[in-house]
Amino acid sequence: MTTVTLDDRLGSAWKKPPLISNDFLRWGLFIGALVYVVLATASIDVNWSRVAEGLSRGWAFVTAFFNPDFVSRGSDIWDGIIESIIITITSTVVGIAISIPIGLGAARNIAPLPVYLVCRGIVALSRALNEIIVAILLVAIFGFGPLAGFLTLSFATIGFMSKLLAEDIEEMSKVQAEAIRATGSSWLQWINYGVQPQVMPRLIGLSMYRLDINFRESAVLGLVGAGGIGATLNTAFDRYEFDTAAAILLIIIVTVMALEYLSGIIRAKVQ
């Protein structure tokens, strides 16, 4: 008598089919990709002696975090941090203030088509240009200093906040807005009582998020002369003062973490 095992009854285990069923084509693509990676890597002109020197400097930079220097250039660090904070706060406030009307105009469900197209064009222009490119242009126009950084971050904030605000307005519940409109309210009253309560928690959360983005960006913009702590950081790297650079980076990290913690508290309160 033949004995039938449980495995015989269940059959073979299911296996996920390959993405490309043809074995020849699958292996051909894999080998071709591997050859391409090898050739592309070989085409890169690498100065191995420069790499060796860079590795030693990189290790010196890593070890500097265990002994950061907050004192030697303490006044420059302090001035740079204060300048970055001022740039961050002012650009965020101005950017958000301008973003609100643009965001309202960029929401298709509440804005007429001509206003919608103009506001969407402004949003697209702001988002199309990287902050570094804008900063370089404004530094060339206004010269080195925090003004260029302030204008750059304000411009970037407008594109960021307007787009997300417009999307929130387009996704809001129509019931509350229509109820306010049915009372015979004016357009401003309709926005204030029908739209604003639905998007305000999200707007506050995004504002805090943009605040810490602008602080981090202010450090980057300083590298191209747009003010802030980035200029001091760039000088420290140029002089191979890794202990000072480590101190600056630690301050930036702690500040961003504090802003993130504060953002969480504020979002919890408004929601």
Side-chain angles (χ1 to χ4, degrees):
M1 181 177 178
T2 304
T3 303
V4 180
T5 63
L6 180 61
D7 290 337
D8 293 333
R9 291 179 178 274
L10 294 177
S12 59
W14 180 84
K15 293 182 180 180
K16 181 180 179 181
L19 180 63
I20 301 175
S21 59
N22 189 303
D23 293 339
F24 179 78
L25 179 59
R26 183 170 65 253
W27 283 103
L29 290 174
F30 176 76
I31 294 172
L34 183 62
V35 170
Y36 172 78
V37 170
V38 172
L39 294 177
T41 305
S43 67
I44 300 175
D45 186 15
V46 179
N47 187 337
W48 293 107
S49 61
R50 179 70 179 269
V51 171
E53 294 177 3
L55 289 175
S56 63
R57 287 195 294 266
W59 178 249
F61 173 64
V62 172
T63 57
F65 279 92
F66 298 99
N67 188 28
D69 183 8
F70 295 92
V71 178
S72 298
R73 302 192 63 189
S75 60
D76 293 334
I77 294 175
W78 177 252
D79 292 340
I81 289 293
I82 293 299
E83 192 170 82
S84 283
I85 292 174
I86 293 174
I87 293 173
T88 299
I89 295 176
T90 53
S91 63
T92 302
V93 171
V94 171
I96 292 172
I98 299 175
S99 297
I100 292 175
I102 295 177
L104 291 172
R108 187 67 187 95
N109 57 337
I110 67 172
L113 182 59
V115 176
Y116 171 79
L117 294 176
V118 171
C119 292
R120 279 291 175 177
I122 295 173
V123 172
L125 177 63
S126 175
R127 290 174 54 80
L129 299 177
N130 185 271
E131 287 89 341
I132 294 294
I133 298 175
V134 177
I136 293 174
L137 176 63
L138 293 177
V139 166
I141 296 174
F142 297 104
F144 295 101
L147 177 60
F150 160 73
L151 294 175
T152 299
L153 293 180
S154 298
F155 182 74
T157 301
I158 291 171
F160 177 87
M161 295 294 298
S162 298
K163 176 178 173 59
L164 296 179
L165 177 61
E167 291 177 351
D168 285 340
I169 294 174
E170 290 176 344
E171 295 173 359
M172 70 178 183
S173 172
K174 298 180 180 179
V175 176
Q176 180 176 344
E178 290 176 354
I180 298 298
R181 176 174 287 177
T183 63
S185 61
S186 64
W187 184 86
L188 186 59
Q189 290 173 329
W190 176 61
I191 294 294
N192 192 32
Y193 296 104
V195 177
Q196 177 263 338
Q198 298 190 60
V199 300
M200 182 57 72
R202 175 73 168 161
L203 178 62
I204 294 175
L206 290 173
S207 299
M208 294 302 301
Y209 179 50
R210 188 66 213 185
L211 184 68
D212 74 67
I213 290 177
N214 283 348
F215 181 78
R216 286 185 279 114
E217 289 293 335
S218 70
V220 178
L221 298 182
L223 301 177
V224 297
I229 191 60
T232 308
L233 180 62
N234 189 38
T235 302
F237 277 122
D238 289 340
R239 296 178 179 179
Y240 298 111
E241 297 175 350
F242 295 133
D243 49 357
T244 301
I248 295 173
L249 291 175
L250 287 174
I251 293 173
I252 293 174
I253 292 171
V254 170
T255 305
V256 171
M257 291 177 64
L259 288 173
E260 181 64 25
Y261 178 73
L262 180 62
S263 174
I265 294 176
I266 293 177
R267 284 198 300 267
K269 293 292 185 182
V270 298
Q271 292 175 354

